[in-house]
Amino acid sequence: MMDLPLEFRIFIIPILLLFILVMRHPLPCQLLVAVFSCCQLAAIDRNFLQSYCYECHDADVQKGGLDLEALPDSLDDTKDFKTWELVHDRLAAGEMPPKEKAAKVPQSRLKQFHADLASNLYHADSGRQRTFGRTPLRRLNRTEYENTMRDLFDLPGLQVKDKLPEDGRIDGFEKGSAALDISSVQLRKYIEAADFVLDEAIAHEAKPMVFKERFRRIGGLAQFFEATFPIYDKKVDLDFIESVYPKPGSGKNAMGLREKQEFLKDMDSIGLLTHVRPSWNAEIGNFSPFHSGFYKIRTSLWSYFHNLGKVEPGKRHQSVCLTADGRLLCYFDAPSLDAQEHEITVWLNAGERLELNPANLWGNYNRAYNYEGHVVAVDYVDIEGPLHEGWPPKSHQRLFGDLPLAKIPFIKDGQYPRQPPQVVRHPGSRPNHTDGDEFKKWQPVWTAASSRPLEDATILLADFLPRAFRRPVEPDEVETYAEIARKEILAGAFFEDAMRKAYRTALCSPDFLFFRELPGEGSPSDPMALNPQATANRLAYFLWNSTPDDTLLEAASRRQIYGKHLTEQIDRMLGDPKSARFVNDFLDQWLDLRDIDFTSPDHKLYPEFRNDLRDAMLLETRAYFREMIDKDLGAKHIIDSEFLMVNQRLAELYGIPDIVGCNIRRVEKPKYSPRGGFLTQAAVLKVTANGTTTSPVKRGAWIMDRVLGTPAPLPPPNIPAVDPDLRGTTTIREQLDKHRADPVCASCHKDIDPPGFALESFDVMGRWRERYRFPGEKVEDPSERKGDDPIDAHFLGALPHHWKHLYNNVRLGLPVDPTGQTPEGEKFSNIQDYKTLLLKHEETIARSLANRLVLYATGSPVTFSDRNEVDKILLKTKGTGYGLRSLIQELAASPFLRKK
């Protein structure tokens, strides 16, 4: 670390040492807790334990791995505290003492022991919080860092997250302060990331470089007629196609590239007959932008059924996916025979290539003259951008205000301000200057200039630092950074480079990377209260995953961030497009949606699964959660609902008719449908399965943890996993029955397995099934399957002829058994019955969600002494059925967000 620049060592090393001290060596903290909270279990009734507990939990037996005899009375150690907390919770749940021995335990002594233990746990934990606060020192995680940079510099599509190391997790969340480590490697990455962001933000041209062109070609010309072909007036001339690209064995020679271009220049549309595959991509011409920014894209699309060259009405509505280097931008509809125009403004990063992928089509290697199947036709694609409201762009103005750009003529071996690295653009990319000239390596350099650099350095930093540090900044702090710039200026550096060094130092400082949440700043009467600016920061990073905007900071400066003013701010923030960051990020972590691509369904067993279905899965879950926020829907909607959020692709998967188009919309749930809530959404069902089989254990453990808030214990060592029988001769249930014959396994599986069994009616991609699928020779024609594992009829009708053999590799196995019994003895026959049983535990489900929201909003999980505050939030929201919006409102108004 000593070879880091001096300015970084000055700012970072002290905070790094403090972080390591607090997070890696908690002994000083524990000693202080012991002094201030007096957390000795002096009143522990060891006679009670001797009489009723040691029989199962002493040094010799240690049932469940618990040795109460050796467990210290002290609560200083975190591990010991957690163990006593577990004892408390097992007593509260009636799991200890076991039923067969409970009658022998005097209830008065049991209640007294439980009450004393609760009191000691509460005072120990609350004492720690009074001394140190709930949330330790916390830094920005990768997502928060990227969003903060985007908003700080007004670069809405900036991609910098992947330049930083992955963050740790607590309870599945990347917000937990204890998991957000810091190291010298990370510091170097922050320096690199800051340089990248400044390169993106600073303008180096006298005028914007704007590109505007219409494209009539998708994919490379050399690949014509394998994946694309020309269409003239909605007709396909197969004789013309053969003259350009003759059939194999015809004896004719293929035309050269220039001849093809001449033949194709007058085409009306281009037909696409396959989705993107390894040997072909659907790139839009040879476009690749020089500069990141917003681009306006217009296109006209339609589709039809290609019957060996005949244009016929399509058998289903098609859609097209627009991506940039694989990054999803949007989906467009392509109606049958009726062209539809689309326009969208999206952020493109420098060097990216656009693809217009007909993702719903099947993979095809046949040419147009022997192809049967759907085709998507593209009339044109217009691209214009980057779009700027003025010049220099806002990102540059955030750094240099209204200072002019000065030209520095090129001189060989001359000195120039730092220039961003050359954009790595794809081979063959066209220039995108306004005048169409090729980008010249030795063009003049334009740089931010000042006639009074020493004074302007202070002025610019005084404007920048409060926004970067998310709080008011004192003049002496500004002076510290201004001195960095002044030294560079006096040493002969360009003004831009001097300021850049000061900005980079600020962006790598603890004031930017860490949350400033010092206790005692809010109220003399409450030493843990946060000041209004810190409260505004918590609120912004809760609902926007980013820095507060000017409106929120202004409200904080006037202390108008409490009571009715707080409600108004939350409504405003949830209505802002930036709240999508909260929706997406919270669901990625709570429901494990970030693992959607961790496995892919076996393409031989599940050939229907493609990227368009995966994208629809994510859109459904996010749209459903947004509907819960907007309508203040209660906790029961986690389990079930009377409506669904679907598009055509999902409706086909779910067996819901008459849904056309790629846009997600709210529809009433059919009475026969087992869907509703999160449990039966395809995204959740996919992330809780692997690519070939489903596991009741995995899905059951997921429901216990993510929905009920009672995570299953880790399996004992040396217990082999249950591997599914891929021959299909036994079901997973039969194998688990043998597994549970072991008493060690049975104690946990009685809780884990029932919810997993209820979900066995859904396969690895979330589709309803009656029987298991296995590889092997088919047992009947897929089109004749009725009731048992119905292959999607939409896809059978839309399958190209050469793809229909795929289902010859699919064999139906034994019937699925979704029945079960809860640990309380309640039986269920299917997922609908199990949902009914779950809905009896509405408050438990709401508490689990509230606990996750607290962790996400504050960076610290709910601890023992926090439970009372969670109870208050649940009590206040009970009247709304624990509505999601109400939970957010009450959490924001609670001490969780207002105290350290």
Side-chain angles (χ1 to χ4, degrees):
M1 186 184 296
M2 289 300 105
D3 60 343
L4 290 173
L6 176 61
E7 65 270 18
F8 298 116
R9 282 185 270 151
I10 293 173
F11 282 95
I12 290 293
I13 290 179
I15 202 70
L16 177 59
L17 294 175
L18 176 61
F19 185 89
I20 293 174
L21 175 65
V22 174
M23 303 308 298
R24 295 298 177 222
H25 301 283
L27 182 58
C29 303
Q30 294 170 353
L31 292 175
L32 285 172
V33 170
V35 172
F36 286 104
S37 62
C38 300
C39 59
Q40 295 293 322
L41 278 176
I44 191 71
D45 189 348
R46 287 286 173 178
N47 291 329
F48 176 86
L49 296 176
Q50 176 70 45
S51 301
Y52 306 109
C53 303
Y54 286 170
E55 180 181 353
C56 297
H57 301 290
D58 63 0
D60 296 325
V61 180
Q62 296 189 32
K63 186 176 180 179
L66 176 61
D67 181 5
L68 289 174
E69 193 174 21
L71 187 63
D73 289 359
S74 171
L75 294 176
D76 294 350
D77 184 80
T78 301
K79 183 178 179 181
D80 294 339
F81 184 98
K82 288 294 184 183
T83 304
W84 281 117
E85 185 178 21
L86 178 63
V87 171
H88 170 276
D89 292 345
R90 291 288 175 85
L91 291 173
E95 297 177 9
M96 291 175 57
K99 294 181 180 179
E100 63 272 15
K101 298 182 180 181
K104 300 178 181 179
V105 182
Q107 290 301 302
S108 59
R109 291 192 65 186
L110 178 62
K111 289 181 180 180
Q112 186 61 51
F113 179 85
H114 189 237
D116 290 344
L117 180 57
S119 176
N120 282 304
L121 288 168
Y122 177 83
H123 285 94
D125 190 41
S126 61
R128 179 190 61 80
Q129 290 194 19
R130 287 193 302 272
T131 305
F132 302 105
R134 287 189 69 256
T135 306
L137 183 66
R138 181 162 68 109
R139 67 164 172 83
L140 301 175
N141 65 26
R142 295 194 310 161
T143 301
E144 292 167 336
Y145 179 93
E146 181 176 80
N147 288 329
T148 301
M149 286 294 199
R150 287 176 172 180
D151 294 343
L152 179 61
F153 291 102
D154 196 33
L155 296 169
L158 179 73
Q159 291 186 302
V160 69
K161 178 171 67 174
D162 291 340
K163 297 183 180 296
L164 302 176
E166 289 191 8
D167 297 311
R169 299 178 186 178
I170 289 181
D171 197 18
F173 283 79
E174 297 169 350
K175 289 267 193 173
S177 58
L180 296 175
D181 233 334
I182 192 80
S183 66
S184 59
V185 173
Q186 193 135 20
L187 297 180
R188 292 182 186 279
K189 292 297 182 181
Y190 282 132
I191 295 172
E192 294 173 9
D195 276 331
F196 172 79
V197 172
L198 292 171
D199 285 339
E200 289 286 296
I202 299 174
H204 291 97
E205 293 84 27
K207 60 181 179 179
M209 298 167 61
V210 180
F211 176 87
K212 186 176 183 180
E213 186 169 330
R214 169 163 290 190
F215 291 89
R216 305 295 295 272
R217 180 163 55 83
I218 309 296
L221 277 175
Q223 297 164 324
F224 260 72
F225 315 120
E226 177 188 334
T228 61
F229 55 91
I231 299 175
Y232 297 86
D233 193 24
K234 293 193 176 180
K235 294 179 182 178
V236 180
D237 188 340
L238 293 183
D239 291 335
F240 168 79
I241 291 176
E242 188 178 355
S243 69
V244 181
Y245 203 106
K247 294 180 182 179
S250 66
K252 299 179 181 179
N253 295 321
M255 288 186 176
L257 179 60
R258 291 185 179 180
E259 292 175 293
K260 290 178 185 178
Q261 290 174 328
E262 184 66 24
F263 269 100
L264 300 170
K265 68 180 181 180
D266 296 325
M267 66 182 178
D268 297 311
S269 310
I270 184 169
L272 310 181
L273 48 75
T274 179
H275 63 64
V276 168
R277 47 185 171 74
S279 62
W280 182 77
N281 56 50
E283 292 179 355
I284 298 175
N286 51 8
F287 171 74
S288 184
F290 273 110
H291 288 291
S292 303
F294 282 112
Y295 287 75
K296 184 180 293 183
I297 299 173
R298 303 181 188 89
T299 187
S300 175
L301 306 168
W302 52 285
S303 62
Y304 70 94
F305 190 83
H306 185 100
N307 184 4
L308 300 176
K310 296 179 181 178
V311 176
E312 299 178 352
K315 299 181 180 181
R316 75 181 298 279
H317 192 94
Q318 297 296 319
S319 61
V320 178
C321 176
L322 179 66
T323 62
D325 279 6
R327 180 170 57 92
L328 175 63
L329 300 177
C330 69
Y331 274 85
F332 296 132
D333 286 322
S336 174
L337 299 179
D338 185 17
Q340 181 174 344
E341 294 185 336
H342 305 272
E343 181 178 304
I344 186 173
T345 300
V346 293
W347 183 278
L348 300 181
N349 292 297
E352 288 184 320
R353 292 299 300 267
L354 288 180
E355 276 189 353
L356 204 58
N357 178 17
N360 195 248
L361 296 183
W362 295 81
N364 177 62
Y365 293 85
N366 290 2
R367 297 191 174 95
Y369 39 69
N370 61 350
Y371 173 71
E372 290 181 82
H374 280 93
V375 164
V376 168
V378 182
D379 295 333
Y380 62 84
V381 179
D382 291 342
I383 301 177
E384 179 182 358
L387 308 176
H388 295 289
E389 296 179 2
W391 193 260
K394 289 183 179 179
S395 59
H396 184 95
Q397 295 174 32
R398 295 283 174 92
L399 295 167
F400 297 104
D402 58 0
L403 292 179
L405 286 168
K407 181 171 71 172
I408 304 176
F410 169 72
I411 301 174
K412 188 176 181 180
D413 300 326
Q415 296 296 315
Y416 300 95
R418 173 189 165 100
Q419 298 295 296
Q422 289 288 327
V423 174
V424 180
R425 300 170 72 236
H426 294 252
S429 298
R430 301 182 62 178
N432 57 358
H433 281 66
T434 304
D435 56 8
D437 290 340
E438 191 67 56
F439 182 82
K440 296 180 177 60
K441 183 177 180 181
W442 306 123
Q443 65 177 352
V445 172
W446 293 82
T447 182
S450 170
S451 59
R452 45 171 200 167
L454 299 181
E455 294 84 353
D456 282 338
T458 301
I459 294 172
L460 293 173
L461 285 164
D463 175 69
F464 177 81
L465 292 178
R467 288 185 281 108
F469 295 167
R470 308 175 289 278
R471 60 173 175 81
V473 175
E474 299 298 326
D476 59 335
E477 291 182 87
V478 175
E479 179 62 23
T480 300
Y481 289 92
E483 183 62 23
I484 295 174
R486 283 198 292 268
K487 286 182 179 179
E488 295 295 313
I489 293 169
L490 294 175
F494 286 98
F495 179 72
E496 180 183 305
D497 284 345
M499 293 302 300
R500 183 189 182 98
K501 189 168 187 178
Y503 288 136
R504 186 177 70 165
T505 305
L507 294 174
C508 295
S509 72
D511 289 288
F512 177 77
L513 297 175
F514 289 81
F515 291 94
R516 183 185 175 98
E517 296 179 336
L518 300 179
E521 294 188 354
S523 169
S525 61
D526 189 348
M528 285 296 128
L530 298 175
N531 63 24
Q533 285 76 24
T535 303
N537 273 314
R538 278 203 175 176
L539 189 59
Y541 281 93
F542 175 25
L543 299 181
W544 285 348
N545 254 331
S546 184
T547 184
D549 65 356
D550 292 339
T551 301
L552 187 58
L553 288 175
E554 176 66 19
S557 68
R558 298 182 179 184
R559 304 189 68 86
Q560 293 180 346
I561 200 171
Y562 310 104
K564 68 175 183 178
H565 297 296
L566 176 61
T567 302
E568 293 170 356
Q569 288 294 334
I570 292 175
D571 288 340
R572 179 184 71 86
M573 296 175 72
L574 289 175
D576 190 285
K578 288 189 290 188
S579 64
R581 298 169 178 173
F582 161 63
V583 172
N584 296 349
D585 192 51
F586 182 75
L587 292 177
D588 281 353
Q589 299 180 68
W590 174 39
L591 302 182
D592 295 320
L593 296 189
R594 61 191 160 197
D595 296 332
I596 192 76
D597 292 322
F598 188 71
T599 62
S600 294
D602 188 310
H603 73 279
K604 292 182 179 180
L605 285 177
Y606 302 95
E608 315 96 302
F609 183 84
R610 261 91 48 77
N611 285 349
D612 64 325
L613 179 56
R614 178 210 54 198
D615 295 336
M617 291 175 175
L618 294 173
L619 291 171
E620 174 194 20
T621 304
R622 289 165 179 169
Y624 185 85
F625 192 74
R626 169 63 71 179
E627 190 76 358
M628 288 185 64
I629 293 175
D630 292 345
K631 302 294 194 303
D632 197 24
L633 302 180
K636 69 179 183 180
H637 288 81
I638 294 174
I639 307 302
D640 205 359
S641 63
E642 296 301 318
F643 70 93
L644 306 174
M645 305 295 291
V646 296
N647 64 2
Q648 177 182 343
R649 188 63 191 89
L650 272 176
E652 291 170 349
L653 184 78
Y654 293 170
I656 302 173
D658 304 324
I659 304 296
V660 176
C662 56
N663 291 330
I664 296 285
R665 81 291 307 261
R666 175 172 172 155
V667 301
E668 293 303 310
K669 183 179 71 174
K671 293 182 179 180
Y672 61 81
S673 175
R675 307 290 169 171
F678 288 113
L679 301 188
T680 51
Q681 289 179 2
V684 168
L685 294 164
K686 183 182 183 305
V687 299
T688 56
N690 62 37
T692 306
T693 62
T694 58
S695 169
V697 176
K698 183 173 183 178
R699 283 178 171 172
W702 187 92
I703 290 177
M704 288 183 62
D705 180 20
R706 298 289 148 181
V707 177
L708 299 174
T710 54
L714 295 175
N718 303 320
I719 298 295
V722 179
D723 295 322
D725 177 13
L726 297 181
R727 300 168 300 172
T729 57
T730 58
T731 65
I732 186 68
R733 176 186 285 270
E734 291 170 335
Q735 295 172 73
L736 283 173
D737 286 342
K738 297 178 181 179
H739 191 66
R740 288 196 303 271
D742 186 336
V744 176
C745 300
S747 60
C748 291
H749 279 274
K750 67 179 176 61
D751 298 317
I752 298 173
D753 293 349
F757 288 147
L759 291 177
E760 273 296 274
S761 293
F762 301 93
D763 65 18
V764 300
M765 62 181 184
R767 203 188 52 140
W768 181 266
R769 65 185 175 188
E770 301 286 342
R771 294 162 66 183
Y772 294 99
R773 277 193 198 185
F774 292 97
E777 293 184 3
K778 69 171 185 175
V779 294
E780 69 265 57
D781 190 319
S783 62
E784 296 175 357
R785 295 174 180 170
K786 301 182 186 302
D788 291 293
D789 189 40
I791 300 294
D792 195 330
H794 296 276
F795 283 96
L796 287 172
L799 266 176
H801 178 75
H802 66 281
W803 267 79
K804 296 195 177 190
H805 73 280
L806 281 177
Y807 288 104
N808 294 338
N809 300 321
V810 177
R811 176 172 60 88
L812 295 184
L814 296 170
V816 170
D817 181 2
T819 64
Q821 178 175 305
T822 68
E824 295 76 27
E826 298 173 304
K827 296 182 179 181
F828 56 88
S829 300
N830 48 43
I831 183 60
Q832 292 94 325
D833 291 348
Y834 185 71
K835 284 183 178 182
T836 301
L837 297 178
L838 277 181
L839 289 173
K840 296 179 181 180
H841 306 282
E842 186 177 7
E843 183 177 326
T844 300
I845 296 165
R847 183 182 302 279
S848 176
L849 175 59
N851 288 346
R852 268 19 190 266
L853 288 170
V854 170
L855 170 56
Y856 188 88
T858 67
S860 186
V862 171
T863 61
F864 193 88
S865 63
D866 292 331
R867 295 180 181 185
N868 290 342
E869 288 298 334
V870 175
D871 288 340
K872 293 177 183 178
I873 291 174
L874 295 178
L875 182 62
K876 291 178 180 179
T877 58
K878 186 175 183 179
T880 66
Y882 311 106
L884 179 54
R885 196 181 193 92
S886 297
L887 285 172
I888 293 172
Q889 293 276 11
E890 293 300 332
L891 170 57
S894 74
F896 284 122
L897 255 73
R898 293 186 287 106
K899 291 187 178 183
K900 170 66 173 161

